[in-house]
Amino acid sequence: MFKINENYLKLPGSYLFSTIAKKVNEYSQAHPEKKIIRLGIGDVTQPLAPAIIESLHTAVDEMGSAESFRGYAPDLGYEFLRNAIADNDYKARGCDIAADEIFVSDGAKCDSGNIQEIFAADNRIAVCDPVYPVYVDTNVMAGRTGTYDGKLETWSDVIYMPCLAENDFAPELPKETPDIIYLCFPNNPTGSTITRAQLQEWVDYANRVGAVIIYDAAYEAYISEADVPHTIYECEGARACAIELRSFSKNAGFTGVRLGAAVVPKDLKCGDVTLHSLWARRHGTKYNGAPYIVQRAGEAVYSQAGKAQLKEQIAYYMNNAKYILNGLKEAGYTVSGGVNAPYIWLKAPEGMTSWEFFDYLLENAGVVGTPGSGFGPSGETYFRLTAFGSYENTVAAVDRIKAL
């Protein structure tokens, strides 16, 4: 008889955002008269920029002609997009990343889940706590995390790096030595950042202990402060220890279009084996590439018009973040984030767990956020709100919370 991967049975409950959706749907069915404002999931609401729409239309027309029709994409992605990423995201910042070190994908979430496949099952992972759930859950599925302690909500073989108010929600170097380190800055969920000097410490540490850093840069477009790095490759030595994940979801509104990229430098090796060659084999074997029309849309992100239009769109969301941040402070909440990231991290009222606060806001204000405990044990008693709603809904949500 066939057997299943029993590691899946170790996962507690359902995926965080699936649980939230179920609770909200149940409440909506019971209270159809209530208007719910959703500031939970980090999904964008503004339409695609005109330059991107124009590029999509042009690419669709090309697919309707035999002369310009495209079939399977090249394994790494089309050269026009990889060159645009290399030139604008890396070379323009003085970073030595070549186009053939960039692998185009359908999003950073998929890459962050799939990248662990090229590592041995007995590698120890280190994660920020709280953290984006995909990093841990996909390693659970691979059998890399040990046993689950339901009381502590921790895995025996995972090294947790607490991100607390006391350390400005930035992790300290772990006391145990990891093999794989997951870092995400600007951070999801806390919205925190680290300076270039702080990130250099992580790069130096990884090179010293022989670890690899999986660096999630999905929110780099929201950085506003000068000393916050946009890419880990701004740090000396990062080519030898870091894989970077890029996303078009939050900087260009591609959550429903799907496009991302993973950067695997050829200097990154395990003995004589390059991780670039392993990821290239995995990529070519299991993935047929993002659609041509989507990659052309991604190219438009780097056009002069695209850059200008997306700058306005990001400013729109960050204006929402400012409104949430200031409004919650006025209401007496302890709040952080919202400066270099579209997430606001707030402390739940005294005596409430994060899920109790979730229920409280849903039932009394009709506002949906994300319980901090869903991101890890150190997220308990905290709560995440996103700035990705419309400005009108953002204002209404904050006003409802302030009225409680």
Side-chain angles (χ1 to χ4, degrees):
M1 182 177 177
F2 68 86
K3 297 180 181 179
I4 61 171
N5 180 352
E6 294 191 359
N7 291 313
Y8 278 69
L9 303 181
K10 298 177 183 178
L11 290 163
S14 61
Y15 182 56
L16 171 63
F17 297 105
S18 300
T19 301
I20 291 172
K22 182 179 179 182
K23 289 174 74 76
V24 173
N25 288 337
E26 289 174 351
Y27 181 83
S28 296
Q29 290 173 8
H31 304 278
E33 76 286 356
K34 297 286 184 70
K35 181 187 176 182
I36 295 174
I37 300 175
R38 302 170 189 257
L39 299 181
I41 191 170
D43 194 5
V44 296
T45 54
Q46 294 300 295
L48 294 174
I52 295 169
I53 291 296
E54 181 180 352
S55 183
L56 279 169
H57 280 299
T58 300
V60 168
D61 288 340
E62 289 181 44
M63 296 297 280
S65 167
E67 291 72 26
S68 54
F69 174 80
R70 307 289 183 106
Y72 289 125
D75 279 357
L76 273 66
Y78 284 101
E79 192 171 342
F80 60 76
L81 178 57
R82 290 187 288 110
N83 282 334
I85 295 171
D87 291 343
N88 290 275
D89 291 334
Y90 296 105
K91 292 177 183 178
R93 299 188 183 282
C95 302
D96 180 24
I97 295 296
D100 66 356
E101 295 176 312
I102 298 169
F103 296 79
V104 175
S105 71
D106 57 354
K109 178 180 181 179
C110 297
D111 284 341
S112 65
N114 293 330
I115 196 70
Q116 51 81 25
E117 290 187 24
I118 65 174
F119 298 102
D122 58 354
N123 279 303
R124 292 283 309 273
I125 70 165
V127 297
C128 296
D129 173 30
V131 72
Y132 183 45
V134 171
Y135 307 151
V136 174
D137 286 0
T138 53
N139 278 284
V140 174
M141 295 171 179
R144 195 176 282 117
T145 55
T147 57
Y148 184 67
D149 186 324
K151 186 175 182 180
L152 297 177
E153 297 184 325
T154 58
W155 294 91
S156 62
D157 292 345
V158 174
I159 299 170
Y160 291 90
M161 303 182 292
C163 299
L164 310 169
E166 292 80 4
N167 58 10
D168 294 324
F169 301 105
E172 298 173 357
L173 296 176
K175 294 180 175 59
E176 299 178 81
T177 302
D179 302 297
I180 303 169
I181 303 166
Y182 287 83
L183 295 178
C184 173
F185 291 106
N187 185 259
N188 176 18
T190 66
S192 63
T193 56
I194 56 177
T195 65
R196 188 174 291 102
Q198 288 175 303
L199 185 55
Q200 184 67 58
E201 290 181 12
W202 281 98
V203 170
D204 294 342
Y205 171 79
N207 280 319
R208 186 167 64 249
V209 302
V212 62
I213 297 173
I214 310 298
Y215 193 77
D216 189 344
Y219 299 94
E220 68 81 22
Y222 291 84
I223 293 171
S224 61
E225 295 180 319
D227 197 32
V228 178
H230 287 256
T231 166
I232 195 169
Y233 301 116
E234 293 179 35
C235 297
E236 185 178 353
R239 282 184 55 87
C241 70
I243 293 172
E244 184 163 282
L245 309 181
R246 311 286 294 197
S247 172
F248 287 75
S249 288
K250 308 301 165 58
N251 68 325
F254 278 35
T255 54
V257 178
R258 308 307 306 152
L259 188 65
V263 180
V264 188
K266 294 178 182 179
D267 296 356
L268 182 51
K269 297 180 179 180
C270 179
D272 294 330
V273 179
T274 66
L275 269 60
H276 183 279
S277 66
L278 298 183
W279 187 241
R281 182 55 194 260
R282 192 268 172 204
H283 208 65
T285 301
K286 291 192 173 185
Y287 185 60
N288 269 336
Y292 170 72
I293 60 174
V294 173
Q295 294 196 48
R296 279 298 186 192
E299 180 188 31
V301 168
Y302 298 102
S303 67
Q304 186 173 355
K307 288 179 180 179
Q309 292 161 9
L310 292 177
K311 185 177 180 180
E312 292 181 3
Q313 198 168 91
I314 288 167
Y316 177 93
Y317 291 131
M318 291 310 292
N319 186 52
N320 288 352
K322 183 178 180 181
Y323 191 90
I324 297 171
L325 191 68
N326 291 337
L328 293 180
K329 284 181 178 178
E330 291 172 7
Y333 288 92
T334 301
V335 194
S336 60
V339 176
N340 295 293
Y343 293 124
I344 291 81
W345 190 242
L346 64 141
K347 185 78 170 172
E350 191 70 31
M352 278 193 188
T353 67
S354 54
W355 276 107
E356 287 172 345
F357 188 53
F358 173 91
D359 292 333
Y360 174 76
L361 284 186
L362 178 60
E363 293 168 7
N364 295 280
V367 174
V368 176
T370 308
S373 61
F375 297 103
S378 292
E380 183 56 274
T381 74
Y382 282 91
F383 203 74
R384 191 193 77 175
L385 292 174
T386 85
F388 285 123
S390 68
Y391 179 72
E392 293 74 19
N393 279 347
T394 298
V395 170
V398 172
D399 290 349
R400 289 183 190 184
I401 295 173
K402 290 171 71 174
L404 293 175

